[in-house]
Amino acid sequence: MSQFDDIQDMPRLRARIDALDAQLMDLMADRHALIDRAAAIKAGIGLPARIPDRVEEVVANIRRHARDRGLDPDLYDALWRMLIEAAIAQEERLLNKDLP
């Protein structure tokens, strides 16, 4: 039995999905703010936006989390690599104020 078996109709199901999407966006906004903070810390200690070993560590963590939850690790690998690239671009803009 699933934790969602009590949802008996599509309007309620869609409402739950919409609420969950809003929560995910709240978490993404928190992640965005943490990336701003990472850029500030990196600027202070001279680190670049892209740290390849850290990228691979984050992706390995996501793959593990996906597997642990019965999700497709390849899908979440691809999604997180897009998030990571966006985060690196965000950091680079903050580290190099002259970039658009």
Side-chain angles (χ1 to χ4, degrees):
M1 182 164 174
S2 162
Q3 64 177 325
F4 303 112
D5 286 346
D6 63 323
I7 303 170
Q8 298 297 317
D9 58 65
M10 288 307 296
R12 285 191 182 108
L13 178 67
R14 289 178 179 144
R16 289 287 298 271
I17 290 170
D18 291 346
L20 184 59
D21 287 348
Q23 291 174 335
L24 288 170
M25 291 310 299
D26 288 341
L27 292 172
M28 288 296 161
D30 288 349
R31 192 177 199 285
H32 187 85
L34 288 167
I35 298 304
D36 284 350
R37 186 64 190 131
I41 291 170
K42 286 178 177 182
I45 58 177
L47 286 175
R50 182 180 302 278
I51 302 173
D53 289 345
R54 177 60 180 151
V55 169
E56 295 311 314
E57 178 184 8
V58 171
V59 171
N61 288 339
I62 287 304
R63 292 185 68 83
R64 186 180 79 263
H65 292 312
R67 273 191 305 276
D68 291 349
R69 290 159 176 81
L71 301 172
D72 179 358
D74 292 336
L75 171 63
Y76 290 92
D77 180 312
L79 288 171
W80 247 256
R81 286 186 189 278
M82 287 191 306
L83 282 173
I84 291 166
E85 288 304 314
I88 289 169
Q90 177 184 341
E91 285 185 18
E92 286 175 344
R93 283 190 302 274
L94 293 168
L95 291 171
N96 305 298
K97 301 280 189 195
D98 57 328
L99 292 179

